[in-house]
Amino acid sequence: MSQFQWGLIITGALLLLGILLQVLWLAWRNRARRVTAPSEANHVPTNLEPTLNATVADDLEFALPTPEKKPGLDALIDVIAPIALDAAVSGEALLAAMPPTRRVGSKPFAIEGLVHGQSQWEFPQAGQRYSQLQAGIQLANRSGALNDIEFSEFVMATQTFCDLVGGSPDFPDMRQEIARARELDQFASDHDAQLSFVLRARRAAWSASYIQQMAAKLGFVPGVMAGRMVVPSSMGGLPPVLSLSFDSQAALSEDPAHSALREVTLSLDVSQVDRGERAFERMREAAVTLAKDMDGVVTDDNGMALPAEALDVIGYELAHLYDTLAQRELAAGSVLARRLFS
């Protein structure tokens, strides 16, 4: 190894050591502040520490505040740092002190406030006053698990915010949170299903306008991107149930009726869609119907035909996956599942 490479390794190690030392110093300073602050004598943390129960189906059991599942931060998939305040703070003051970004590294970062005199947690709003705060960063998403550097940046961003609003954060142990992040990321990786069927033409090619016409009969509507159609969710504002895509250049051509396409892809992001939407059943029905009406064959990504028996097996495995996600309190289509699998 060259002297230059050794220099890079040493520099990187010193940088990481410096970040870790700063985190430890901030934690020590905050503990000292909490011991001396008179208002902390009767302070009750708003979030209880999550505890790992490795003997019950490898699931995590958490003691959560009320309500158990709120739209914002949740101990199931977030690192949460309670922030004590000496007095209620206005929403305007909190908004002015907010970090410029809602992400730390590849992870969503958020600060919530407890509305003064209520049990409602929300992102700070003008015209409200807040008696307690909490900062959080997501443990894992499709970019991977929270790492040491992201945790350290989360601590620094939260501390900077607290210095501006006069808050005292109480950060959880980094090593425990990183371990939780890796465990959750492993679970998510093992249970992340994104299905796709490819409909291939047997003989004559299809035009883009013909594909759009046939898909519209099955409830597909134009998506925001060229060459993409979707089946909307039954509830507004949620991800589509299914998507259908084909070559975008053909969709943008001056005469879509004369384009020549030989394949269409049907896709389902399982964790993003509520089980009650019957997404796979509808995906299967759409694929079979389109194949029959357009003289095509349903295959996988590698061009292997998918007979009814293969589709039955996929449906059985998906039913088991839905059950597993629900048991973990990450039911497909739920707020938490959509956040984790994103």
Side-chain angles (χ1 to χ4, degrees):
M1 187 175 294
S2 68
Q3 184 177 0
F4 175 72
Q5 290 173 316
W6 276 113
L8 289 177
I9 292 173
I10 293 172
T11 300
L14 290 174
L15 177 61
L16 181 58
L17 178 61
I19 293 174
L20 293 177
L21 288 175
Q22 184 171 8
V23 171
L24 293 173
W25 177 79
L26 288 172
W28 173 85
R29 188 180 73 169
N30 289 325
R31 282 196 295 268
R33 288 174 63 179
R34 292 178 66 83
V35 168
T36 58
S39 63
E40 288 298 294
N42 297 318
H43 175 65
V44 178
T46 58
N47 291 88
L48 302 180
E49 279 291 316
T51 56
L52 178 63
N53 182 354
T55 62
V56 183
D58 294 327
D59 286 343
L60 289 178
E61 295 183 350
F62 294 97
L64 299 174
T66 302
E68 289 188 353
K69 292 288 180 291
K70 52 183 182 294
L73 297 174
D74 194 296
L76 189 64
I77 66 169
D78 294 304
V79 176
I80 298 180
I83 301 172
L85 297 171
D86 292 337
V89 179
S90 70
E92 289 82 355
L94 298 180
L95 291 172
M98 281 287 172
T101 178
R102 299 286 184 86
R103 301 189 76 83
V104 171
S106 63
K107 306 299 183 294
F109 166 69
I111 293 175
E112 294 181 337
L114 181 65
V115 179
H116 186 59
Q118 301 182 28
S119 59
Q120 173 187 349
W121 287 91
E122 65 181 21
F123 182 80
Q125 305 289 328
Q128 292 277 31
R129 295 186 65 79
Y130 301 91
S131 56
Q132 296 179 48
L133 305 173
Q134 58 185 16
I137 184 170
Q138 196 162 308
L139 287 164
N141 56 16
R142 280 176 172 161
S143 297
L146 181 74
N147 58 46
D148 290 13
I149 294 178
E150 289 172 327
F151 186 93
S152 300
E153 291 177 351
F154 160 66
V155 169
M156 290 187 285
T158 302
Q159 185 62 59
T160 299
F161 170 80
C162 290
D163 289 342
L164 293 174
V165 301
S168 298
D170 184 11
F171 297 108
D173 179 77
M174 182 174 74
R175 294 267 60 87
Q176 292 181 5
E177 296 304 295
I178 293 300
R180 280 212 306 140
R182 290 172 178 168
E183 193 277 339
L184 181 61
D185 179 59
Q186 185 62 57
F187 173 85
S189 298
D190 293 342
H191 299 86
D192 192 359
Q194 300 177 71
L195 296 180
S196 62
F197 295 159
V198 180
L199 182 63
R200 302 180 189 275
R202 291 182 183 272
R203 299 178 183 84
W206 307 308
S207 68
S209 57
Y210 177 67
I211 293 172
Q212 292 167 338
Q213 176 185 356
M214 301 304 290
K217 294 180 180 179
L218 301 178
F220 286 87
V221 299
V224 296
M225 299 173 58
R228 186 169 187 262
M229 301 181 74
V230 299
V231 174
S233 170
S234 59
M235 297 182 63
L238 294 183
V241 176
L242 300 173
S243 67
L244 178 150
S245 58
F246 53 91
D247 183 65
S248 60
Q249 294 299 318
L252 292 171
S253 66
E254 294 183 0
D255 189 358
H258 287 84
S259 55
L261 298 167
R262 301 199 63 83
E263 65 178 45
V264 172
T265 301
L266 282 167
S267 302
L268 164 61
D269 194 341
V270 175
S271 56
Q272 295 289 317
V273 182
D274 188 277
R275 189 174 191 172
E277 294 280 8
R278 298 179 57 255
F280 177 72
E281 289 84 351
R282 294 164 71 178
M283 180 183 186
R284 178 175 181 170
E285 291 168 4
V288 172
T289 300
L290 289 174
K292 177 182 177 182
D293 294 346
M294 297 169 60
D295 190 22
V297 57
V298 181
T299 74
D300 62 14
D301 291 338
N302 298 317
M304 297 294 293
L306 292 173
E309 295 79 9
L311 298 177
D312 290 339
V313 172
I314 295 174
Y316 174 80
E317 292 176 347
L318 279 183
H320 178 67
L321 175 61
Y322 281 125
D323 291 340
T324 302
L325 291 174
Q327 291 167 6
R328 186 66 180 250
E329 299 185 71
L330 293 166
S334 66
V335 173
L336 295 184
R338 295 201 309 272
R339 288 179 56 202
L340 177 61
F341 296 97
S342 64

